[in-house]
Amino acid sequence: MQQLTLFSEYTPVLPVTYYSNFLSLEQANELYQHCLKLEWQQNQIRIAGKTMPVPRLECIYGDYGCDYLYSNSVFLKPLTWTDALSKLRDRITALTGYKFRIVIGNQYRTGTDSIGWHSDNEPSMGFNPAIASLSLGGVRKFQIKPRNGKPTDFWLEHGSLLVMHPGCQSTHLHQVPKTNKVVGTRINLTFRPHTGGGR
Ligand SMILES: O=C(O)CCC(=O)C(=O)O
C-alpha cells in the first residue's frame, strides 16, 4: 500500500494522509457494487431561508442512537451497519488508530453533484474529530484549503482513503466541486466518531 502525505505550497503540511491503494482493485469493485445497493436518500437542505435538494444522494449507517444533524437542517438517522461497512470501519481503525461510530455516504451521480466548501465540525462528533474518507468509482477533484488560504487540488482514486486528522476541521475547509467533464458515478464513505448513542 502506498502512503503519501500531501504537502501544500501554502501550509507546511496538510493535516491529511492519503492512501492511494487502500483497497485492491478487486476489493474496491466489490465494495462499489455493495454500496450501490445501500439506502440512498435525496435529502433537503435549508440555506439562507430556502429549502433545496442536497446536490448528491446520502446515506448513513452506524451505532444505534448516533443521529447526525448538519447545517442545522439535514437530520440523518443511522441504519444498522452492514457487514461490509463494519469490516471496512475496523480495517480503517486498525490502520489509523481512530475509532468511528457512523459512516455517511455521498453518491455523486454526475458531474453536477457536488459538495461546497465546508468543514465537518458538528458537535455530535466531539472535539477535533478524525474523519476517514473512502472513495469508489468515478474520480473527482477534491480541494482542501486553510481557512482564508488557497486550495490544494487533488484527485481521489477508486479504492483510496483520505484521512483528515484531528484539527483538520478547525483549520481547513474542503469541497468536491461540480465539473463539466463526463464522470462516472462516485461513492464516498466518510467514517466519523460520535459522542452519543448507546455503547
Ligand atoms: O466526497 C468527498 O470526498 C468529500 C465528502 C465530504 O466532504 C463530506 O461528506 O463532508
Side-chain angles (χ1 to χ4, degrees):
M1 188 188 309
Q2 188 191 349
Q3 178 178 349
L4 175 71
T5 299
L6 290 169
F7 288 87
S8 151
E9 202 182 321
Y10 306 103
T11 54
V13 64
L14 287 170
V16 301
T17 305
Y18 182 62
Y19 301 88
S20 60
N21 299 312
F22 176 69
L23 298 180
S24 68
L25 182 60
E26 196 185 353
Q27 289 167 340
N29 290 345
E30 196 179 312
L31 186 65
Y32 182 74
Q33 291 307 319
H34 174 75
C35 288
L36 285 174
K37 291 183 244 143
L38 297 175
E39 299 272 329
W40 295 100
Q41 306 165 20
Q42 174 65 76
N43 293 315
Q44 302 285 316
I45 189 165
R46 201 163 168 77
I47 300 175
K50 279 192 178 164
T51 301
M52 58 193 82
V54 172
R56 59 194 179 277
L57 300 180
E58 295 173 303
C59 66
I60 181 167
Y61 289 77
D63 294 353
Y64 179 78
C66 290
D67 300 343
Y68 193 87
L69 177 74
Y70 76 86
S71 298
N72 263 327
S73 66
V74 184
F75 179 74
L76 304 173
K77 201 166 187 55
L79 298 170
T80 308
W81 293 99
T82 66
D83 279 355
L85 291 178
S86 62
K87 277 190 191 126
L88 189 60
R89 173 200 64 199
D90 293 348
R91 195 171 153 188
I92 297 172
T93 294
L95 174 70
T96 63
Y98 298 132
K99 295 208 171 109
F100 307 103
R101 299 191 63 215
I102 54 171
V103 57
I104 297 178
N106 293 301
Q107 184 181 145
Y108 303 86
R109 295 157 290 186
T110 66
T112 52
D113 278 355
S114 62
I115 190 164
W117 285 115
H118 70 287
S119 63
D120 296 303
N121 51 11
E122 286 69 27
S124 60
M125 287 191 290
F127 182 65
N128 277 343
I131 298 178
S133 172
L134 190 119
S135 293
L136 298 164
V139 177
R140 291 286 294 267
K141 180 158 82 175
F142 176 93
Q143 298 182 295
I144 183 164
K145 65 174 184 181
R147 290 175 186 274
N148 305 321
K150 293 191 182 166
T152 299
D153 301 350
F154 58 100
W155 282 262
L156 298 181
E157 300 151 286
H158 183 50
S160 69
L161 183 74
L162 180 81
V163 179
M164 293 185 267
H165 295 289
C168 182
Q169 306 304 324
S170 313
T171 55
H172 287 68
L173 303 173
H174 57 276
Q175 72 163 353
V176 175
K178 292 184 195 308
T179 175
N180 291 329
K181 295 195 181 116
V182 177
V183 282
T185 298
R186 169 171 182 263
I187 289 176
N188 165 258
L189 301 172
T190 54
F191 289 83
R192 301 164 188 243
H194 198 288
T195 58
R199 274 158 216 269

